[in-house]
Amino acid sequence: MKLNELQPAMGAVKERKRVGRGPGSGNGKTAGRGEKGQKSRRGYSRQRGFEGGQMPLHRRLPKRGFTNIHAAELQELNLTFISSHFTEGETVCLESLRDKKLLKPSASGIVVLKRGELTHKVTVVADRVTKGAREAILAAGGTIQDPPCAKQAAK
């Protein structure tokens, strides 16, 4: 076998259907589009969600509320997660979570929730800490700090 002898397998390459080339071709005159109607005309392209003139589903369903595109996406951390991924005396903050690859790319802050138990003392730098989580962190001997950006926003 030589490079100039290479060719695709039989049936792998199919010739383009040439329509509108006379009655002998089997696809002449209307070119396989039928007689009249919207789809027989040139320039036709169906819109996304079009249901043949019936009111589309996305317009029939009721709409409620809105999504705030400017809202900060906060990642939720619970006490069990902190206990399993951080050791004694470590700081739980955005940077340390990014270094350990534990943070979602879209997250811009942290919320600490009380779920599970905290087994050792850690320093938590979070945007929000729930009341129960705050009590558990302080009971374990840990400390809670505001993030640097929150201090600047408060001024």
Side-chain angles (χ1 to χ4, degrees):
M1 179 179 285
K2 299 180 188 115
L3 282 175
N4 66 329
E5 294 174 356
L6 287 176
Q7 59 183 24
M10 284 294 291
V13 178
K14 195 172 164 185
E15 281 193 29
R16 182 174 67 91
K17 182 197 255 189
R18 295 182 71 221
V19 295
R21 294 292 183 275
S25 68
N27 285 300
K29 193 183 167 209
T30 55
R33 289 172 172 259
E35 294 296 325
K36 298 176 196 171
Q38 189 175 14
K39 289 194 226 170
S40 71
R41 315 294 184 196
R42 57 190 292 272
Y44 167 79
S45 62
R46 185 182 294 127
Q47 291 179 325
R48 191 178 62 210
F50 183 69
E51 296 183 19
Q54 173 176 296
M55 187 61 70
L57 182 67
H58 66 89
R59 290 187 60 194
R60 290 197 303 261
L61 296 176
K63 314 295 188 274
R64 291 213 19 124
F66 78 106
T67 303
N68 184 359
I69 60 168
H70 302 295
E73 188 173 323
L74 302 177
Q75 181 163 333
E76 297 175 351
L77 304 178
N78 54 49
L79 298 177
T80 308
F81 180 87
I82 293 171
S83 293
S84 61
H85 291 92
F86 291 89
T87 58
E88 182 88 25
E90 274 193 294
T91 303
V92 180
C93 63
L94 277 173
E95 291 76 34
S96 62
L97 286 163
R98 275 205 185 94
D99 293 342
K100 294 184 178 207
K101 295 183 173 38
L102 300 172
L103 197 65
K104 293 178 195 168
S106 59
S108 60
I110 307 168
V111 180
V112 181
L113 308 174
K114 184 192 184 299
R115 184 174 178 204
E117 293 181 19
L118 189 62
T119 53
H120 44 268
K121 69 175 190 177
V122 289
T123 303
V124 177
V125 181
D127 296 87
R128 277 180 34 218
V129 182
T130 61
K131 187 178 173 185
R134 183 178 298 276
E135 291 168 359
I137 292 166
L138 297 175
T143 56
I144 300 167
Q145 299 174 0
D146 288 329
C149 58
K151 288 177 186 172
Q152 291 169 0
K155 287 181 183 178

